[in-house]
Amino acid sequence: MDKKNALRAGAVTAGTTLMMLLMTSPALALTRDDGDDPGPGLSVAETLGLYVAAPIVLFLVIAGLVMVGDKSRKPQNES
């Protein structure tokens, strides 16, 4: 890719990113809708458990099941 095409690609990427940032203004999130009834917030422990510990545990369980299933299909070596 020559220098002109690289500059063009960079300009298009920067322009697209800028437009996306301008179109998705976080100020719109401050306006409450009718019937909006948020529940209580999560504590730090609940947040870490839900978004950190639970995915790690699920990954380990799935990886363990895959490993057990893989080992059961291997032929036994007759010595």
Side-chain angles (χ1 to χ4, degrees), residues 5 15 24 26 33-34 41 50 55 69 73 76-77 79:
N5 283 340
T24 58
D33 293 330
D34 289 339
L50 186 61
R73 292 186 187 167
Q76 298 293 330
N77 291 339
S79 301

Side-chain angles (χ1 to χ4, degrees), residues 13-24:
T13 303
T16 304
T17 304
L18 182 63
M19 288 303 295
M20 287 176 61
L21 287 173
L22 291 174
M23 297 294 286
T24 58

Side-chain angles (χ1 to χ4, degrees), residues 1-10:
M1 185 188 279
D2 59 353
K3 192 174 184 179
K4 187 176 182 181
N5 283 340
L7 287 173
R8 184 178 299 147

Side-chain angles (χ1 to χ4, degrees), residues 21 47-48 65 73 78-79:
L21 287 173
T47 303
L48 289 176
L65 290 172
R73 292 186 187 167
E78 295 181 18
S79 301

Side-chain angles (χ1 to χ4, degrees), residues 17-60:
T17 304
L18 182 63
M19 288 303 295
M20 287 176 61
L21 287 173
L22 291 174
M23 297 294 286
T24 58
S25 175
L28 297 174
L30 297 176
T31 306
R32 300 288 301 267
D33 293 330
D34 289 339
D36 190 15
D37 188 21
L42 295 176
S43 69
V44 174
E46 290 171 333
T47 303
L48 289 176
L50 186 61
Y51 294 108
V52 177
I56 291 173
V57 169
L58 284 173
F59 173 79
L60 292 175

